[in-house]
Amino acid sequence: MANANRPGIITVTPARPAAEAIQTAASVIKAGGIIAYPTRCLYGLGADAFNRDAVAKIFSIKQRSAQKPVLILIDQLKQLERLVTHIPEIAAAIIRRFWPGSVTLVFEAGGDVIPELTGGTGKIGIRLPGHPVASALVKAVAGPITGTSANLSGGPGCRMAGNLAPEVVHRLDLILDAGPLEGGPGSTVVDVSGGGRPIILREGVIAARDIMMLVEG
């Protein structure tokens, strides 16, 4: 599906992306393609999370170790049922307080999750996005998509589509360009797979203390 090393570029308005642009991007993803799209902080790489070949492309594009997991985005809570083994009560409390938004929850992966996405951990990171473009895109795909940053593994993330690494750009099928993004810290990543006290794996936009208040309160 690669377009002679030159992906299509569609300009979108972050707050109110055009339906046609979103549908075009969703069609690319559903056909097994890879796109770059805006989230709140940085541009991400989107692929069909149920398409093993597309997921393999994500790892290849990023030059990412197979031992490093890739998180996914969903558009509705009921999708969790086929993606995780169970939803602990603390996870439900975090979801009620912070979703949609900047908290990624790490669960025990369910049987429908492609093992490669877990990086061999048996766990999967999931977020219900709050950014209008990411949210509309997942809804249009009607299934989970990858939410990893659009960069080479270990390299800096990109606030601007024009700053994406050439090695990444040449492997993409489409770029949704929303102009400069906020940058800054990404989502706060919380492991809830144990069912007990959550483990903060990365503190991001949401402060760790705000997460832990739900446990202690």
Side-chain angles (χ1 to χ4, degrees), residues 119-191:
T121 66
K123 300 178 182 181
I124 185 69
I126 301 176
R127 184 168 77 249
L128 184 72
H131 189 280
V133 176
S135 179
L137 183 60
V138 183
K139 184 175 182 179
V141 172
I145 68 172
T146 57
T148 187
S149 57
N151 62 339
L152 297 175
S153 188
C158 289
R159 291 182 56 246
M160 299 180 64
N163 291 339
L164 292 169
E167 300 95 325
V168 172
V169 171
H170 293 165
R171 304 282 300 279
L172 300 178
D173 299 297
L174 181 68
I175 297 173
L176 292 181
D177 187 348
L181 305 179
E182 290 183 21
S187 66
T188 296
V189 182
V190 185
D191 189 334

Side-chain angles (χ1 to χ4, degrees), residues 21-98:
I22 295 298
Q23 288 298 330
T24 297
S27 295
V28 170
I29 289 175
K30 287 190 278 189
I34 311 295
I35 75 164
Y37 65 95
T39 64
R40 190 189 67 82
C41 298
L42 301 169
Y43 281 86
L45 291 180
D48 180 352
F50 288 142
N51 184 322
R52 203 168 206 139
D53 290 338
V55 169
K57 289 180 190 176
I58 292 289
F59 279 88
S60 176
I61 290 170
K62 289 177 63 72
Q63 300 174 25
R64 188 174 182 86
S65 166
Q67 280 68 54
K68 291 186 176 181
V70 167
L71 71 89
I72 59 178
L73 305 182
I74 61 174
D75 83 298
Q76 50 187 316
L77 292 179
K78 69 179 183 180
Q79 288 180 353
L80 281 177
E81 296 175 5
R82 65 180 298 197
L83 297 172
V84 306
T85 58
H86 65 288
I87 304 172
E89 179 51 40
I90 185 58
I94 294 171
I95 286 170
R96 288 192 295 269
R97 175 66 178 85
F98 294 108

Side-chain angles (χ1 to χ4, degrees), residues 77 87-107 126 188-193 196-200 206-208 210-215:
L77 292 179
I87 304 172
E89 179 51 40
I90 185 58
I94 294 171
I95 286 170
R96 288 192 295 269
R97 175 66 178 85
F98 294 108
W99 277 13
S102 299
V103 174
T104 297
L105 295 179
V106 178
F107 298 89
I126 301 176
T188 296
V189 182
V190 185
D191 189 334
V192 294
S193 62
R197 188 177 182 85
I199 300 172
I200 308 297
I206 305 301
D210 293 336
I211 300 290
M212 300 313 293
M213 282 177 62
L214 293 176
V215 181

